[in-house]
Amino acid sequence: MLGFAGDRLGRLGRFAWSGWSGLAAVALLAAVWQAGHEAYGDFILPSPMATATAAIGLLAAPENWTLLLITMRRALSGFFLAGTLGALLGVMVGYAPAMMRLSRPLLTVVLGVPPIAWIVLTMIWFGASDATVAATILVSATPVVFVAGAEGVMTRDRGLDAMAEAFGAGPFRRFLTVGLRQVCAHLLPSLALALGTSFKVAVMAELLANAGGVGGALARMRAMLDITGALAWVMLSVVALVVVEYGLIRPVRAELERWREAAQPWGVKR
């Protein structure tokens, strides 16, 4: 029990320590942003400090928290639908090469349609509702997860499957102990990409459909030509995305990929 707790605390500490590199990247982005502000002025690009101050001011109003939570709820609902459907279909198709060859043209067609076109169609079908945002996210993010799941299955090490079968493991046990770990190496990065896509599409759908949330707030900022306010809402939506990714996706990924750390030579760190 103590060893289990120590292992978890150790990985949590390494995860927290790795945040320094993220802070360095944020500082670099802020420096480039500040340089753009000094070059073009407040009307084109407000300073990072002014934008952060405006974002904090927005959070002082309870109704703005409601708008932010609405967008997060819509984005996460669409993400869970796209992630679940894409992963299940991708894994199933990966075990059936004929179905994968059949689905590739369909994927090309779906990926070739821009998200804004899907937003227009879903607005006609569902109106300015949560269904518009969820359906657009589902169509935009599912193919990414689907391809990753299918590729993970098709590129797995079949020798490991054969070895597990020789030791008496059945199909389900072989999938859980051998195949799933290899699939996750492809699937988890695609889920992080799908999460980012979900937030972007949710805000864009809200903006075009006038469905409230962060997108509706951005529409108001655009009407008032409030560049600082618009950037403040963008900053809040990005912060919400980072919180969800590092609070949900990254811990799950670290838990499922413990074997990567165990397989590294002694003294080698990522």
Side-chain angles (χ1 to χ4, degrees):
M1 184 66 180
L2 290 177
F4 178 84
D7 177 62
R8 293 299 186 277
L9 289 175
R11 285 191 287 110
L12 180 61
R14 289 191 295 272
F15 178 75
W17 180 255
S18 65
W20 287 108
S21 59
L23 291 176
V26 171
L28 178 61
L29 175 63
V32 175
W33 186 348
Q34 181 65 31
H37 162 70
E38 294 178 0
Y40 296 104
D42 283 328
F43 183 76
I44 301 298
L45 187 63
S47 68
M49 186 60 68
T51 304
T53 302
I56 294 172
L58 289 174
L59 292 179
E63 59 271 19
N64 291 332
W65 279 96
T66 302
L67 296 178
L68 189 60
L69 291 175
I70 288 173
T71 298
M72 290 182 65
R73 175 177 56 80
R74 289 169 172 171
L76 290 177
S77 299
F79 166 71
F80 281 119
L81 285 174
T84 303
L85 184 62
L88 290 177
L89 291 178
V91 170
M92 288 191 295
V93 169
Y95 280 102
M99 292 182 63
M100 185 62 190
R101 287 193 293 269
L102 182 65
S103 63
R104 277 174 179 160
L106 298 177
L107 286 174
T108 302
V109 172
V110 173
L111 291 173
V113 179
I116 192 170
W118 290 116
I119 293 173
V120 173
L121 291 174
T122 54
M123 285 172 58
I124 297 173
W125 295 335
F126 305 114
S129 65
D130 290 359
T132 295
V133 181
T136 308
I137 293 173
L138 187 65
V139 176
S140 302
T142 299
V144 177
V145 184
F146 172 85
V147 171
E151 290 293 332
V153 172
M154 290 190 299
T155 58
R156 72 191 188 280
D157 188 347
R158 288 170 172 78
L160 294 177
D161 273 347
M163 181 184 67
E165 186 178 8
F167 278 94
F172 186 68
R173 185 173 178 82
R174 290 201 307 272
F175 174 74
L176 289 181
T177 58
V178 178
L180 185 59
R181 294 186 179 188
Q182 299 178 70
V183 172
C184 284
H186 294 77
L187 198 57
L188 292 174
S190 73
L191 288 176
L193 178 60
L195 179 64
T197 301
S198 299
F199 270 80
K200 289 187 292 185
V201 171
V203 173
M204 184 166 55
E206 290 173 344
L207 175 62
L208 295 178
N210 194 23
V214 173
L218 283 173
R220 290 194 298 274
M221 296 299 106
R222 178 191 60 184
M224 295 185 293
L225 296 179
D226 187 349
I227 308 299
T228 304
L231 282 176
W233 277 111
V234 172
M235 178 181 288
L236 290 177
S237 63
V238 171
V239 169
L241 169 61
V242 170
V243 168
V244 173
E245 180 178 350
Y246 281 85
L248 177 65
I249 300 296
R250 295 301 179 95
V252 172
R253 183 175 181 178
E255 187 69 22
L256 293 177
E257 293 188 342
R258 286 180 294 166
W259 60 272
R260 287 183 179 273
E261 186 174 347
Q264 289 174 349
W266 185 85
V268 176
K269 303 294 182 184
R270 283 187 291 178

